[in-house]
């Protein structure tokens, strides 16, 4: 359950005197509820003078996201004893709003005698689990891929990480399992850990994340040098855009580095093996989940 939605408002339309409806309501969710975006459920009831409506649906920007099912509501028999079938006017609708805009308005509507009748609107805010708190610096796991065992390149990357002003980081140096484990006291003193994993890049990256603890996950190759303000700028972007899955330094031609929310990385199921460029492939999948592309924000040109 990576993406969540918060219900900001529920507005139920009043039934007019000339309406074929005699009543309708949305019972759930209520304002303030937080639910999984992939299975957003709405329940309530709607009743026409002729009985239960033919259908109920939820729509976004005029496009139906899904139709609901009807279920018994015995309490409606006492409220509307003159209407046959009143006890069958309860409804439930479940839809996927994980691709909805960050702020969205859903419309609940019923069909009566081939006429579509809106009955309510719900205002939603979509965001990722583990929403960042500006008052609490998130732990960032920096995963450095060092497949070539290039000590000079690794030292350059570690030095650039040391210049970051973000107070909460852990550093993982990812190397193939065929390498001999390194014992370096200075690494331990500075919170740097070596991770030995699979023989290929995707498996090694995934193993590194399994051993990490950060709310945010930053990937870069040994030799890359982070801009001094890389972490504060990227984190600020994610704070301002709670529905963004990542900040990617690059474009569809290539990725220099990227920082992902852990909840988004888990929903994307990590790096896929077998491709030519697993960093770019993951970034493209993340783009469908709202990733922000900002070339040069993490690794400046030539860095």
């Amino acid at each position: 359950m990576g993406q969540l939605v918060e219900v900001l408002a529920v507005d139920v339309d009043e039934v007019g005197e000339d309406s074929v409806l005699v009543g309708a309501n949305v019972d759930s969710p209520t304002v303030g509820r937080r639910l999984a975006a992939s299975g957003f459920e709405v329940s309530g009831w709607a009743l026409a003078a002729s009985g239960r409506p033919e259908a109920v649906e939820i729509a976004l920007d005029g496009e139906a996201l899904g139709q609901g099912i009807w279920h018994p509501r015995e309490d409606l028999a006492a409220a509307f004893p003159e209407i046959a079938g009143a006890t069958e006017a309860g409804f439930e609708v479940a839809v996927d709003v994980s691709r909805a805009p960050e702020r969205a308005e859903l419309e609940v509507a019923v069909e009566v005698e081939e006429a579509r009748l809106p009955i309510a609107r719900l205002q939603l805010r979509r965001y990722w689990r583990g929403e960042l708190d500006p008052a609490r610096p998130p732990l960032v796991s920096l995963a450095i891929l060092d497949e070539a065992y290039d000590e000079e390149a690794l030292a350059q990357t570690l030095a650039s990480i040391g210049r970051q002003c973000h107070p909460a980081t852990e550093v993982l140096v990812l190397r193939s399992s065929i390498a001999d484990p390194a014992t370096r006291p200075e690494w331990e003193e500075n919170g740097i850990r070596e991770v030995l994993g699979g023989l290929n890049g995707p498996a090694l990256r995934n193993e590194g994340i399994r051993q990490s603890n950060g709310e945010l996950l930053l990937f870069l190759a040994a030799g890359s040098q982070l801009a001094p303000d890389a972490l504060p700028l990227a984190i600020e972007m994610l704070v301002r855009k709670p529905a963004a899955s990542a900040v990617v330094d690059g474009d569809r031609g290539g990725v220099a580095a990227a920082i992902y929310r852990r909840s988004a990385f888990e929903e994307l199921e990590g790096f896929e093996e077998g491709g030519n460029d697993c960093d770019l492939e993951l970034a493209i999948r993340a783009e469908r989940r709202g990733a922000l592309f900002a070339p040069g924000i993490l690794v400046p040109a030539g860095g």
Side-chain angles (χ1 to χ4, degrees):
M1 188 174 66
Q3 294 189 78
L4 304 173
V5 288
E6 178 184 8
V7 180
L8 303 178
V10 180
D11 300 310
V12 179
D13 296 344
E14 294 186 6
V15 175
E17 294 182 359
D18 298 331
S19 176
V20 295
L21 291 174
V22 298
N25 193 47
V26 169
D27 301 322
S28 179
T30 55
V31 174
R33 283 288 305 278
R34 298 177 183 236
L35 305 166
S38 59
F40 184 73
E41 297 182 354
V42 177
S43 64
W45 62 273
L47 190 61
S50 57
R52 188 192 76 186
E54 287 86 44
V56 58
E57 71 173 21
I58 290 180
L60 173 65
D61 295 333
E63 182 177 346
L65 297 181
Q67 292 201 335
I69 59 174
W70 299 97
H71 64 81
R73 283 286 300 264
E74 300 296 336
D75 58 312
L76 297 178
F80 303 98
E82 73 284 3
I83 299 179
T87 59
E88 301 299 319
F91 67 77
E92 293 180 354
V93 190
V95 294
D96 183 351
V97 292
S98 61
R99 303 293 181 90
E102 183 177 334
R103 299 286 179 123
E105 179 180 275
L106 301 185
E107 183 183 69
V108 185
V110 297
E111 181 181 328
V112 179
E113 298 174 359
E114 299 185 353
R116 187 179 183 279
L117 306 173
I119 63 172
R121 279 160 301 283
L122 291 83
Q123 305 290 334
L124 308 179
R125 178 180 73 93
R126 182 173 58 82
Y127 64 100
W128 285 93
R129 174 173 50 83
E131 189 172 17
L132 301 178
D133 181 354
R136 183 182 63 81
L139 176 63
V140 181
S141 297
L142 297 106
I144 306 170
L145 188 68
D146 183 28
E147 292 182 293
Y149 315 112
D150 188 329
E151 294 295 333
E152 181 178 352
L154 179 60
Q156 292 174 351
T157 301
L158 291 175
S160 75
I161 292 173
R163 290 190 289 270
Q164 297 298 305
C165 59
H166 186 72
T169 61
E170 67 171 2
V171 179
L172 300 97
V173 177
L174 311 183
R175 287 174 163 171
S176 166
S177 56
I178 63 173
D180 294 327
T183 302
R184 304 187 185 186
E186 68 274 17
W187 281 17
E188 295 180 7
E189 293 172 2
N190 291 282
I192 302 171
R193 289 188 286 130
E194 184 179 50
V195 175
L196 302 181
L199 297 179
N200 60 45
L204 186 53
R205 288 166 170 81
N206 290 333
E207 180 59 29
I209 297 313
R210 279 191 286 271
Q211 297 191 33
S212 70
N213 302 294
E215 301 163 72
L216 300 177
L217 314 171
L218 190 151
F219 297 93
L220 70 167
S224 299
Q225 299 185 52
L226 292 176
D229 56 356
L231 292 184
L233 286 178
I235 291 170
E236 182 180 359
M237 292 176 68
L238 292 172
V239 168
R240 293 190 177 200
K241 291 289 187 180
S245 58
V247 173
V248 178
D249 183 341
D251 52 30
R252 286 181 172 265
V255 173
I259 183 167
Y260 292 86
R261 299 181 194 271
R262 178 177 289 274
S263 53
F265 185 85
E266 290 173 350
E267 182 167 300
L268 292 165
E269 299 183 344
F271 292 95
E272 289 189 352
E273 300 185 36
N276 295 324
D277 190 336
C278 65
D279 292 295
L280 180 59
E281 188 277 331
L282 179 61
I284 291 173
R285 284 192 286 128
E287 184 179 21
R288 304 185 192 116
R289 294 290 191 274
L292 306 172
F293 280 68
I297 190 171
L298 296 174
V299 179

